Amino acid sequence: MARLIIEGGRRLNGAVHIHGAKNSALPILAATLLAHGVCEIENCPALSDVRAATEILRHLGCEIRKDGACVAVDATAPCRSDIPDALMREMRSSIVFLGAIAARTGEAELSFPGGCELGPRPIDLHLSALRQMGLRIDEEGGKLCCRVNGRLAGCPITLSFPSVGATENILLAAVTATGTTTIYNAAREPEIVDLCEFLTACGARIRGAGESTIVVDGVERLNGCRHRVIPDRIETVTYMGAAAVTGGSLLLRGVCPRHLQAVMPLFEEMGCSLASWDDELLVSAPGRLRRVKTVRTLPYPGFPTDAQALLMAMACIAEGTSVFIETIFESRYKHVGELMRLGARIKVEGRVAVVEGVPQLSGAPVQCTDLRGGAALVLAGLAAQGRTELGELYHLERGYEAMAEGLTQTGASLILEE
Ligand code: EPZ
């Protein structure tokens, strides 16, 4: 199995280019299924999750052309409406295809998405919303067999939780449904806004993207368009963390600072200096990080759950004690055990983790437990004295393009050992 060998203790300096957002590219690729024509998606990151999404589109009968970071999808004539179990299991967020497949073909068959490292990943909000829009969904033998007579019907839908995926599924079902769909308590993440901008470019009629209430007036047909994916805000925080834990200074290019309003103050609380302009962000770290009093994960515009593990890696070597409260996912502390193997002092009680900063971590063999937990271990390895060997790298490949190259360019010692 491939391992990443990290020789820590080196200060990072230099510039890094941030790629397109995974969590924007995935729902947008699903949405291309709705367009009667070619959609050109620019700034698409080269990730295993994105490859899985394009494989699903190919399976459904779309033609895919890649030219660097641009992925062109021709959905003129999709011929299938099922997602094979293997592809469903490869990428849990494939559930976001359900709304698009049902809206385009009138039926859909896919297996229940497996759970993942973050605990059970229920889809009750997705299913209840689509049923309200007239989709008949039979759950049998681990499969979802769905059908609608004619077109889906728009209606008012209230989400009990501002679920990102459920909001996306409803949007994809609503844009070509009859009548109007109003989503109350919708997710407000930048990736939702990006998806709505893509759909609008295809001819959809959407109001309130980025607010808690989104109104969609269904149209007969969507056509192809060209769209550029927004920068990945979590990749941005990852590289900010790399500067912070190594006492270095990094210039991040191609970022969107306004997507980081809940993150930047915590970096400053920990002693980092930040300067941002247009699409660039300069992060400079102090000699030693100070603790962060409380990190409470919340739906956007609150602090993003995907950045929790990254801030925890920083807190491990900060002066003082930091408290983390994970309110979004049931079990998103799987990285704690691996951080403790590097010498971190962390106590977890349910959704609360208390991190007592130590002056130094020591390199050791560790394994990625999930995508963002794996990124946290990279940060901890960069900070640790000595050699850290990181395994189960496939988790990282789901969400980070050329991470080792980006860090090496700025002074890190990372060697990929096959
Ligand atoms: C998206 O997941 C992201 N994934 C996640 O990023 C991110 O952590 C999450 O949103 C929150 O921001 C993609 O966009 C591909 P949710 P999603 O539906 O849509 C519960 C990463 O690292 N829930 O907002 O699955 C759910 O169990 C990934 O890039 C229900 O109970 O998130 C969770 O506790 C990890 N029923 C909470 O809501 C449902 O039907 C948030 O889930 C749906 C969700």
Side-chain angles (χ1 to χ4, degrees), residues 22-24 26-27 49 92-93 118 120-127 161-166 168 189 233-234 305-306 327-330 332 351 371-372 398:
K22 165 178 86 77
N23 292 347
S24 188
L26 296 178
D49 270 9
R92 195 215 140 271
S93 51
L118 311 183
R121 299 290 291 273
I123 56 170
D124 54 306
L125 301 178
H126 299 245
L127 302 186
F161 177 86
S163 156
V164 172
E168 292 164 349
E189 272 71 3
R233 57 196 171 103
I234 307 302
T305 173
D306 293 348
T327 74
I328 304 293
F329 284 104
E330 202 166 279
R332 197 166 196 174
R351 289 185 180 241
L371 169 55
R372 307 304 176 183
R398 289 188 44 223

Side-chain angles (χ1 to χ4, degrees), residues 123-134 137 157-159:
I123 56 170
D124 54 306
L125 301 178
H126 299 245
L127 302 186
S128 60
L130 294 174
R131 282 181 168 125
Q132 289 177 64
M133 297 179 73
I137 304 174
I157 296 172
T158 298
L159 289 173

Side-chain angles (χ1 to χ4, degrees), residues 15-361:
V16 178
H17 170 76
I18 298 299
H19 300 95
K22 165 178 86 77
N23 292 347
S24 188
L26 296 178
I28 286 174
L29 286 168
T32 61
L33 196 59
L34 295 166
H36 294 252
V38 178
C39 290
E40 294 185 345
I41 312 302
E42 297 176 341
N43 201 30
C44 220
L47 305 169
S48 55
D49 270 9
V50 169
R51 278 192 296 279
T54 54
E55 281 314 303
I56 289 172
L57 289 168
R58 272 201 186 92
H59 171 81
L60 295 171
C62 300
E63 281 183 31
I64 305 288
R65 262 190 354 270
K66 286 184 187 158
D67 176 9
C70 180
V71 174
V73 181
D74 184 345
T76 304
C79 54
R80 302 185 64 136
S81 58
D82 69 303
I83 300 182
D85 189 54
L87 281 176
M88 274 305 287
R89 287 202 169 274
E90 191 175 332
M91 184 178 70
R92 195 215 140 271
S93 51
S94 311
I95 189 66
V96 78
F97 276 85
L98 175 53
I101 297 172
R104 183 68 194 267
T105 69
E107 59 185 8
E109 183 180 297
L110 36 87
S111 54
F112 243 85
C116 76
E117 310 77 16
L118 311 183
R121 299 290 291 273
I123 56 170
D124 54 306
L125 301 178
H126 299 245
L127 302 186
S128 60
L130 294 174
R131 282 181 168 125
Q132 289 177 64
M133 297 179 73
L135 187 65
R136 184 179 156 190
I137 304 174
D138 296 319
E139 301 171 39
E140 55 203 45
K143 277 196 181 300
L144 299 168
C145 300
C146 315
R147 179 178 297 281
V148 58
N149 295 326
R151 286 167 64 188
L152 293 166
C155 63
I157 296 172
T158 298
L159 289 173
S160 57
F161 177 86
S163 156
V164 172
T167 301
E168 292 164 349
N169 241 329
I170 298 166
L171 284 167
L172 298 186
V175 286
T176 57
T178 57
T180 297
T181 301
T182 303
I183 311 172
Y184 297 102
N185 197 26
R188 299 173 55 194
E189 272 71 3
E191 294 76 24
I192 297 289
V193 176
D194 204 27
L195 173 62
C196 289
E197 286 180 1
F198 167 78
L199 291 167
T200 302
C202 292
R205 291 173 54 203
I206 303 172
R207 286 168 283 144
E211 295 164 22
S212 292
T213 300
I214 301 178
V215 181
V216 182
D217 295 316
V219 296
E220 284 293 321
R221 179 188 171 102
L222 295 183
N223 299 305
C225 76
R226 176 189 289 255
H227 178 82
R228 182 175 179 80
V229 172
I230 57 172
D232 193 313
R233 57 196 171 103
I234 307 302
E235 183 187 34
T236 305
V237 180
T238 307
Y239 282 105
M240 291 169 71
V245 296
T246 61
S249 173
L250 289 180
L251 175 64
L252 306 184
R253 292 200 170 108
V255 305
C256 184
R258 66 183 161 79
H259 290 163
L260 301 166
Q261 294 300 338
V263 172
M264 291 161 80
L266 299 191
F267 271 77
E268 288 168 334
E269 181 184 344
M270 297 184 84
C272 293
S273 309
L274 304 179
S276 63
W277 55 90
D278 303 334
D279 65 348
E280 295 193 337
L281 173 64
L282 179 64
V283 190
S284 303
R288 183 178 183 194
L289 292 169
R290 296 191 299 268
R291 63 94 187 252
V292 54
K293 194 163 173 292
T294 306
V295 177
R296 182 191 306 275
T297 64
L298 289 169
Y300 195 90
F303 184 88
T305 173
D306 293 348
Q308 176 254 105
L310 308 172
L311 265 288
M312 186 177 286
M314 294 164 55
C316 288
I317 53 166
E319 187 170 0
T321 299
S322 307
V323 177
F324 291 77
I325 305 162
E326 173 55 60
T327 74
I328 304 293
F329 284 104
E330 202 166 279
S331 61
R332 197 166 196 174
Y333 287 132
K334 290 217 169 22
H335 46 281
V336 166
E338 297 302 302
L339 286 170
M340 292 172 73
R341 286 170 60 86
L342 298 170
R345 288 202 199 126
I346 307 171
K347 268 199 146 333
V348 174
E349 285 285 329
R351 289 185 180 241
V352 177
V354 179
V355 180
E356 182 193 339
V358 295
Q360 190 172 295
L361 297 175

